[in-house]
Amino acid sequence: MFLLRCPLLLLLLLPLSSRPQKFPTRDEELFQMQIRDKAFFHDSSVIPDGAEISSYLFRDTPKRYFFVVEEDNTPLAVTVTPCDAPLEWKLSVQELPEEASGEGSGEPEPLEQQKQQITNEEGTELFSYKGNDVEYFVSSSSPSGLYQLDLLSTEKDTHFKVYATTTPESDQPYPELPYDPRIDVTSLGRTTVTLAWKPSPTASLLKQPIQYCIVINKEHNFKSLCAVEAKLSSDDAFMMAPKPGLDFSPFDFAHFGFPSDNNSGKERGFLKSSSKFGRQTSSKPRVDLHKVCVGNKNIFTVSDLKPDTQYYFDMFAVNTNTNMSTAYVGTFARTKEEAKQKTVELKDGKVTDVFIKRKGAKFLRFAPVSSHQKVTFSVHSCLDAVQIQVRRDGKLLLSQNVEGVRQFQLRGKAKAKYLIRLKGSKKGASMLKILATTRPNKQSFPSLPEDTRIKAFDKLRTCSSVTVAWLGTQERNKFCIYKREVDDNYNEEQKKREQNQCLGPDTRKKSEKVLCKYFHSQNIQKAVTTETIRGLQPGKSYLLDVYVIGHGGHSVKYQSKLVKTRKFC
């Protein structure tokens, strides 16, 4: 428990008076009432137990906060959230002077003398950090003493937040992230992007009130909600989701407009049709950053975007009881180019991305500029199987279902024109990459074996490692293997939803990377390689992914493999 009634601390932090004010602790009935009074801790050097404080740093001007832990072996958690600039911060502890531990007698020492007695002593450093990430110090058993938190911003004046507690197990003010905290882009159009995410266990298991807020901008991802709010003006801080009874279905487009370059003073598109979605904006120019809270939904479609534009998407789970938030892993996506015509022209040797709506179809045209003996079509289906049909001057040459990577070589004809029809899956939207070329040596996709499964050797499993193998080809390619810990209830259906083979290693965290290596064999029967993945935890489940990267830089993911280490060895 934080001891904030200590006479020494009162003398240090408050003006002397005949009836000194008490700082609240967890034992006082008025704690919650005083916490709600924002002015109570304004510009105070005391960190209250179990409440988040917001403050401001001037550049190159350090700031120091104090709190007291009364008893040894006390749990302690401290969270520092930078807002709009990196911070340098350090947590240290020192023993309290003897005068602070007893009741004391006689006249108190002068304020300046006691202040010097504390600040002149060098405490023991417990933790330090420099950067703009939300960082934590957590200890299950902390010593008693006077704790000092020193903060500094060397880049610019900035806001920040601090939260400290001696009861971290019971408090849990920040929403917990799911086992997979990534935002999935489930649908991509010229002006729309559909996002989906897994619910916070704080909502699904603990039944606490959680709402999700999405942030969209064109510059970069954000690491905290206060960093977003530092960018937003006060008038544009919130856009509320539709009210119950007037809500949209999960796949309806919830419009919110991005003002154009010459129309920044007008109302946004989604405000014109109905006022229920939020407040109207003022006429002053806005930063191109937008935030919308969608309640407890786990899917949302962003609309009124610009074609062929890259956007960054961040998701924050907000505990509406505490108003404290946790950031999901942000993502980005580029909207599709504006379709100038219904048939897409393929360029010789250039990879083209194709998105097809559920049960939809796309038409592509390939017209080689020179005579050719053969033409090659390479197709990489990212999700479910797609159907490809190729006609040359109206004659059907090919009709096949494609899963993974397939290559088709057809006989050429002078001045021939090829029409390609791609039909999507009945299960959902389809994504694929396609390349057409008259040059047989032009290979942008890596060659793959017929079997792209990863094999795990059960007898070689230990408490800290697993051994796996996969097939290669006669072509020398680069292979990268990644691991990710998953819950024990992770199943094949969840694994199938994540089988977007077009997502490359650049979408993975650096901490998930195991290794990369080059491999091939002239003898196709011996084109197999094995790897032992070490440093795993006993009794834990891991999802393994192998990526093969071709000479053109395009990657293809093998089928994911779920493995589990032994619990006892």
Side-chain angles (χ1 to χ4, degrees):
M1 180 178 67
F2 287 95
L3 181 62
L4 301 178
R5 291 186 288 257
C6 166
L8 175 63
L9 201 57
L10 288 172
L11 289 171
L12 175 63
L13 301 171
L14 289 180
L16 292 173
S17 63
S18 58
R19 297 180 62 186
Q21 178 187 2
K22 280 187 178 180
F23 284 104
T25 71
R26 285 300 177 87
D27 297 330
E28 297 194 37
E29 297 178 358
L30 297 180
F31 173 68
Q32 292 300 328
M33 182 188 72
Q34 291 170 321
I35 288 301
R36 286 193 292 269
D37 182 4
K38 299 298 183 183
F40 186 82
F41 290 106
H42 182 66
D43 281 342
S44 170
S45 297
V46 172
I47 301 177
D49 189 355
E52 185 177 63
I53 63 170
S54 301
S55 193
Y56 194 79
L57 273 176
F58 292 103
R59 190 184 69 174
D60 295 328
T61 304
K63 207 165 195 176
R64 173 172 290 179
Y65 288 87
F66 299 90
F67 58 87
V68 175
V69 173
E70 183 181 16
E71 299 175 356
D72 286 328
N73 303 317
T74 298
L76 177 63
V78 178
T79 302
V80 177
T81 304
C83 289
D84 49 348
L87 293 181
E88 298 178 21
W89 63 274
K90 177 181 70 173
L91 182 67
S92 57
V93 62
Q94 60 177 282
E95 293 183 359
L96 286 169
E98 293 182 1
E99 291 83 358
S101 59
E103 293 297 327
S105 60
E107 293 297 322
E109 296 178 2
L111 175 61
E112 286 301 318
Q113 185 176 342
Q114 294 204 29
K115 188 173 181 180
Q116 287 290 332
Q117 190 172 359
I118 292 179
T119 56
N120 285 345
E121 295 182 13
E122 190 67 30
T124 301
E125 182 177 317
L126 301 176
F127 183 80
S128 63
Y129 174 76
K130 181 179 180 180
N132 59 355
D133 282 323
V134 180
E135 195 56 70
Y136 313 86
F137 169 81
V138 179
S139 174
S140 59
S141 179
S142 296
S144 61
L146 175 68
Y147 285 73
Q148 295 176 184
L149 178 64
D150 297 284
L151 303 105
L152 177 66
S153 173
T154 58
E155 188 172 300
K156 64 177 182 178
D157 301 347
T158 182
H159 292 88
F160 66 93
K161 294 185 178 184
V162 176
Y163 173 80
T165 179
T166 54
T167 53
E169 290 297 325
S170 60
D171 282 4
Q172 298 184 348
Y174 296 98
E176 186 181 352
L177 290 176
Y179 66 90
D180 184 359
R182 293 176 293 183
I183 306 170
D184 295 321
V185 177
T186 61
S187 177
L188 193 62
R190 294 190 300 273
T191 61
T192 61
V193 174
T194 299
L195 307 172
W197 58 94
K198 295 176 177 61
S200 165
T202 306
S204 57
L205 299 179
L206 301 181
K207 306 301 181 184
Q208 293 190 26
I210 298 296
Q211 75 166 344
Y212 301 98
C213 295
I214 304 170
V215 174
I216 307 100
N217 79 104
K218 299 178 184 178
E219 296 180 1
H220 56 76
N221 289 110
F222 288 88
K223 297 183 178 181
S224 67
L225 195 53
C226 78
V228 174
E229 291 168 346
K231 272 275 191 183
L232 288 169
S233 64
S234 59
D235 290 339
D236 204 15
F238 282 93
M239 293 186 288
M240 299 305 295
K243 296 179 180 178
L246 301 174
D247 210 347
F248 50 87
S249 66
F251 289 97
D252 284 342
F253 292 167
H255 297 283
F256 73 96
F258 282 71
S260 61
D261 294 338
N262 58 357
N263 196 29
S264 61
K266 296 184 180 180
E267 294 178 352
R268 293 187 178 142
F270 79 100
L271 290 173
K272 295 178 183 177
S273 59
S274 174
S275 61
K276 69 186 179 183
F277 290 98
R279 299 191 300 270
Q280 294 190 3
T281 61
S282 63
S283 58
K284 65 180 181 179
R286 298 294 184 191
V287 63
D288 207 356
L289 170 70
H290 303 268
K291 171 184 168 184
V292 56
C293 296
V294 298
N296 59 0
K297 298 183 182 298
N298 299 118
I299 188 168
F300 186 78
T301 297
V302 184
S303 63
D304 291 345
L305 303 177
K306 293 180 179 180
D308 194 26
T309 304
Q310 182 158 298
Y311 290 91
Y312 294 84
F313 303 94
D314 293 287
M315 171 65 58
F316 301 91
V318 182
N319 187 326
T320 56
N321 281 344
T322 64
N323 203 31
M324 297 164 78
S325 60
T326 305
Y328 279 62
V329 177
T331 188
F332 61 89
R334 177 173 288 273
T335 50
K336 296 290 184 180
E337 292 183 6
E338 190 71 60
K340 296 180 180 179
Q341 53 187 22
K342 293 183 179 179
T343 301
V344 178
E345 294 285 342
L346 295 179
K347 294 183 179 180
D348 197 332
K350 182 178 179 182
V351 176
T352 301
D353 293 312
V354 180
F355 174 79
I356 309 173
K357 294 181 180 179
R358 178 175 174 266
K359 296 183 179 180
K362 281 286 179 70
F363 290 90
L364 303 94
R365 181 175 176 269
F366 180 52
V369 295
S370 59
S371 60
H372 56 283
Q373 293 182 342
K374 293 180 180 180
V375 61
T376 302
F377 294 93
S378 299
V379 182
H380 183 186
S381 177
C382 306
L383 300 171
D384 294 319
V386 296
Q387 185 188 61
I388 179 173
Q389 289 184 348
V390 179
R391 295 178 183 270
R392 184 185 64 201
D393 299 330
K395 181 181 179 181
L396 182 64
L397 301 180
L398 172 70
S399 181
Q400 290 271 348
N401 288 330
V402 176
E403 285 187 277
V405 176
R406 290 287 301 275
Q407 190 176 94
F408 306 98
Q409 195 169 76
L410 306 176
R411 183 177 297 176
K413 186 179 179 181
K415 298 181 180 180
K417 293 180 175 59
Y418 300 86
L419 182 66
I420 303 99
R421 180 180 184 266
L422 299 169
K423 187 177 181 181
S425 169
K426 295 180 181 179
K427 299 178 182 178
S430 301
M431 296 174 61
L432 59 95
K433 296 176 181 290
I434 185 169
L435 177 142
T437 182
T438 57
R439 293 167 286 175
N441 296 327
K442 183 68 175 180
Q443 297 294 332
S444 288
F445 300 127
S447 59
L448 289 176
E450 291 185 5
D451 190 348
T452 59
R453 292 175 298 176
I454 303 171
K455 177 179 174 57
F457 299 94
D458 185 69
K459 292 183 179 180
L460 299 180
R461 280 192 308 141
T462 71
C463 290
S464 61
S465 68
V466 294
T467 300
V468 295
W470 64 90
L471 298 177
T473 65
Q474 293 174 315
E475 181 182 339
R476 187 173 185 266
N477 285 318
K478 182 180 179 181
F479 294 86
C480 293
I481 186 165
Y482 285 74
K483 63 176 174 62
R484 175 166 62 88
E485 184 178 336
V486 295
D487 290 344
D488 289 336
N489 58 359
Y490 190 86
N491 54 42
E492 290 297 321
E493 184 178 349
Q494 290 171 297
K495 186 173 72 173
K496 189 176 181 180
R497 287 202 301 265
E498 298 180 5
Q499 289 297 319
N500 186 343
Q501 290 190 335
C502 295
L503 291 178
D506 54 330
T507 64
R508 302 295 295 265
K509 296 180 181 178
K510 291 183 179 179
S511 59
E512 296 176 348
K513 183 177 179 180
V514 177
L515 58 86
C516 290
K517 69 177 185 180
Y518 287 89
F519 166 72
H520 77 291
S521 176
Q522 294 300 325
N523 186 347
I524 195 64
Q525 303 297 328
K526 296 182 179 180
V528 59
T529 184
T530 61
E531 281 297 334
T532 299
I533 297 136
R534 309 180 190 277
L536 309 180
Q537 298 298 315
K540 297 293 185 180
S541 297
Y542 294 87
L543 193 68
L544 303 182
D545 289 309
V546 170
Y547 298 87
V548 54
I549 304 169
H551 301 300
H554 294 281
S555 64
V556 180
K557 187 172 74 169
Y558 278 45
Q559 298 178 43
S560 300
K561 182 67 177 178
L562 188 64
V563 297
K564 188 173 183 179
T565 54
R566 298 188 186 276
K567 194 170 184 180
F568 304 102
C569 294

